[in-house]
Amino acid sequence: MTVTHKLTFPLNDPAAILALRAGDEVVVQGHVIGIRDRTQIRIFDQGIEPPIDLTGALLLHTAPNVRKLGPGRYEKLCIGTTTSARMVRFTEGLGERYGVRAICGKGGFPDQAIEPMQRLGMVYLAIVGGAAALETTQIEEIEDVAWEDLMPECLWKFRVKDFGPLTVGIDAHGNSLYHDVQNRARQRLEQLSARL
Amino acid sequence: MLGAAASLYVWALRDLPRDLREALAGALERETSVTGIRVLETIHRNVEVADTERNLVCQDTGIAVYYCRVGERFPLHPAGIERALKAGTERATVEHPLRSNTVHTLTRESTGANVGYRVPIVHWEFVPGWDGLDVKCVPKGSGSENMSFLKMLVPADGVNGIKRFVLESIVEAGGKPCPPGIVGIGIGGSADYALHLAKEAIARPIGTRNPDPLVAQLEDELYGLLNETGIGPMGLGGDVTVLQCHIEHADTHMTLNPVAVNYQCWAARRTSAHIGADGAVDYDRDF
Ligand code: SF4
């Protein structure tokens, strides 16, 4: 049976990450850090240190729609999640160099994320893609933002309440729902093709 | 006309059509996996929150695609209709405000408020003798549009080749296009036309069937087969992989057998309006 975990991020207890199993439900409190393609290209390809601490963080793949209130201050309008697969290559660096514990996105990571996540004690948390109206209500406030020149692909710090439900897509034990679902689907594809 | 275009775009982004809501409710009834039920329940909660908070259903305001059916005697020339659709899209984006997505395809620099060179995309059909205009707005998100596939099969691959390619494409897409959604398939014509037809297919009211009984039978069969892949809601595994499968076809060359797949996510947004010769606008969603 699946379990529901209530976690607060940043989270620096490795045991709490190891307690998560692929398929489990997770609801998050505390802080979530918003990032996207260009944010990570700046960190890793251009070698610029992120000005917001990522230790123990839960990252969210997003490009939020916001309204500017004043210098460095933004109001949320509509915040949703983007497809993760494009950003899989940053997984290892995020865990190894910055101590990121969890990555939340939609659509999953391909198999190349499984090994680094297991080695570094990280998880992939699947959100329901497109469910932005709900997600926006779960983000209480935009507390901080860096790299505004990348708008909307800045580095965002959100305070969240009851963020979820998320599903553990890849756990820190080498299990991936995406891998399993693909494997089963490919077998079924063969059976179905034989029946055509 | 400009106001109608602006309204159609914002309305589509906020309020899902009834046929889609019913299909999503049906999906939740059929689904048996724990993760699949969790995803579908969250989708329902999200649609409710979008209704009560008057927020957008999904953050991706997409690329605006319009389908126009213009009567021969409609007083405004298509050039004027196109100008109004573009200005309306821009006005909606600025006034709401909506996230703008359009960029130059090489420089990746923003080209404005969801408008740009050849964007929004407008398709035309002309109706002899008629004096009215039907406009349909389909904001198309990138997560699902990135899951588009084309294969130039050979005639000897036959109908089974088509089925196999569609199945492979949807398994390959996995959770990326936000399933369960509408699989649009275009067959026949030419390479470009097959892709155009696949997009036309996702824009149909959900569950409608192709008037050609042979094609309609293929829609039914593929709908069943696709839901046996087990990809499930958001690709986390489950019974409901697709809400529907729609096919549009065209006759083709004797040595061609093109098949195109276009995916539309669960947020299959669609609004339409009828505009009379006197300019009166009647909003509904029946095409
Ligand atoms: S694929 Fe559709 S539902 Fe998913 S994020 Fe894009 S527009 Fe939204």
Side-chain angles (χ1 to χ4, degrees):
Chain A
M1 233 19 260
T2 55
V3 191
T4 301
H5 306 263
K6 294 191 189 308
L7 298 179
T8 302
F9 283 88
L11 188 151
N12 290 306
D13 174 15
I17 295 291
L18 288 170
L20 305 176
R21 294 281 174 176
D24 287 357
E25 180 175 317
V26 176
V27 178
V28 170
Q29 316 294 341
H31 291 93
V32 173
I33 305 288
I35 54 161
R36 210 168 191 266
D37 305 61
R38 292 176 72 192
T39 339
Q40 298 179 84
I41 287 169
R42 179 165 288 184
I43 298 173
F44 293 102
D45 298 353
Q46 298 165 5
I48 301 174
E49 287 298 306
I52 291 177
D53 185 21
L54 303 181
T55 315
L58 165 60
L59 305 182
L60 175 69
H61 290 152
T62 186
N65 187 18
V66 295
R67 183 186 286 128
K68 189 162 184 145
L69 297 174
R73 286 179 47 242
Y74 292 88
E75 177 197 6
K76 62 178 181 178
L77 290 176
C78 188
I79 304 180
T81 310
T82 191
T83 309
S84 301
R86 302 190 304 268
M87 295 173 263
V88 65
R89 69 183 171 102
F90 305 115
T91 307
E92 185 168 9
L94 289 168
E96 209 158 55
R97 292 212 336 237
Y98 300 105
V100 168
R101 288 278 140 244
I103 297 173
C104 175
K106 80 169 180 84
F109 268 158
D111 287 357
Q112 74 193 89
I114 299 175
E115 188 279 326
M117 288 197 140
Q118 183 171 14
R119 176 162 43 87
L120 300 166
M122 301 165 75
V123 289
Y124 178 88
L125 303 176
I127 202 164
V128 176
L134 180 65
E135 199 175 324
T136 306
T137 64
Q138 296 169 345
I139 293 180
E140 288 191 311
E141 210 190 318
I142 301 176
E143 286 195 354
D144 199 4
V145 58
W147 294 344
E148 284 165 81
D149 59 309
L150 297 182
M151 188 65 60
E153 300 186 48
C154 323
L155 196 57
W156 299 93
K157 186 172 180 182
F158 305 121
R159 192 179 67 247
V160 302
K161 186 166 191 296
D162 300 330
F163 188 75
L166 310 174
T167 299
V168 181
I170 303 175
D171 65 23
H173 304 277
N175 304 304
S176 163
L177 285 187
Y178 303 102
H179 175 86
D180 296 349
V181 167
Q182 274 293 319
N183 252 4
R184 268 203 309 274
R186 300 217 173 261
Q187 280 165 19
R188 283 199 202 161
L189 199 65
E190 289 317 311
Q191 294 160 2
L192 293 174
S193 299
R195 243 170 53 196
L196 292 179
Chain B
M1 182 67 222
L2 194 156
S7 312
L8 279 178
Y9 186 39
V10 176
W11 180 30
L13 294 172
R14 264 199 198 140
D15 178 17
L16 295 184
R18 175 155 304 280
D19 54 345
L20 176 62
R21 289 173 189 248
E22 282 163 9
L24 287 166
L28 182 55
E29 271 168 37
R30 289 199 307 282
E31 184 57 56
T32 60
S33 80
V34 176
T35 50
I37 291 170
R38 186 185 300 149
V39 167
L40 290 166
E41 281 178 349
T42 307
I43 287 175
H44 282 280
R45 263 173 73 200
N46 181 71
V47 174
E48 280 165 25
V49 171
D51 288 343
T52 53
E53 304 263 320
R54 295 185 60 72
N55 202 345
L56 309 184
V57 173
C58 171
Q59 78 287 347
D60 189 352
T61 47
I63 198 160
V65 181
Y66 293 95
Y67 290 90
C68 296
R69 221 152 50 189
V70 198
E72 186 179 10
R73 294 191 289 109
F74 186 69
L76 187 59
H77 188 275
I81 299 172
E82 191 164 71
R83 199 178 313 122
L85 292 174
K86 190 164 189 168
T89 309
E90 191 169 22
R91 183 204 276 182
T93 305
V94 172
E95 284 180 1
H96 191 273
L98 301 170
R99 188 178 93 179
S100 182
N101 306 308
T102 45
V103 297
H104 184 283
T105 196
L106 290 178
T107 66
R108 312 309 290 178
E109 297 293 334
S110 171
T111 56
N114 282 320
V115 292
Y117 178 57
R118 291 179 167 163
V119 179
I121 297 166
V122 187
H123 297 294
W124 302 98
E125 192 188 319
F126 300 98
V127 187
W130 190 41
D131 65 356
L133 164 68
D134 291 339
V135 187
K136 174 158 64 177
C137 173
V138 180
K140 190 65 173 64
S142 66
S144 56
E145 187 68 8
N146 272 330
M147 295 299 112
S148 303
F149 305 88
L150 170 72
K151 189 157 188 182
M152 302 307 283
L153 296 169
V154 296
D157 292 327
V159 181
N160 279 349
I162 294 172
K163 291 180 199 163
R164 196 178 157 98
F165 179 66
V166 172
L167 283 164
E168 277 169 0
S169 301
I170 297 311
V171 168
E172 162 85 32
K176 291 192 279 291
C178 292
I182 304 170
V183 176
I185 299 165
I187 48 176
S190 54
D192 60 320
Y193 203 50
L195 277 163
H196 169 75
L197 292 171
K199 175 66 110 296
E200 221 175 78
I202 62 104
R204 269 168 33 191
I206 192 159
T208 47
R209 284 289 171 253
N210 188 297
D212 183 320
L214 264 181
V215 181
Q217 197 191 332
L218 187 58
E219 289 176 325
D220 284 334
E221 194 187 344
L222 273 170
Y223 170 63
L225 288 168
L226 286 165
N227 279 320
E228 285 188 52
T229 57
I231 296 289
M234 285 314 294
L236 296 168
D239 309 297
V240 184
T241 298
V242 304
L243 294 175
Q244 255 311 334
C245 170
H246 297 163
I247 306 177
E248 289 293 321
H249 69 294
D251 296 336
T252 189
H253 189 289
M254 60 188 163
T255 43
L256 283 177
N257 188 10
V259 51
V261 179
N262 189 241
Y263 201 95
Q264 177 64 307
C265 47
W266 67 261
R269 298 157 292 183
R270 182 185 98 245
T271 43
S272 52
H274 306 276
I275 298 166
D278 58 356
V281 185
D282 182 12
Y283 293 97
D284 72 36
R285 283 162 158 172
D286 60 4
F287 90 102

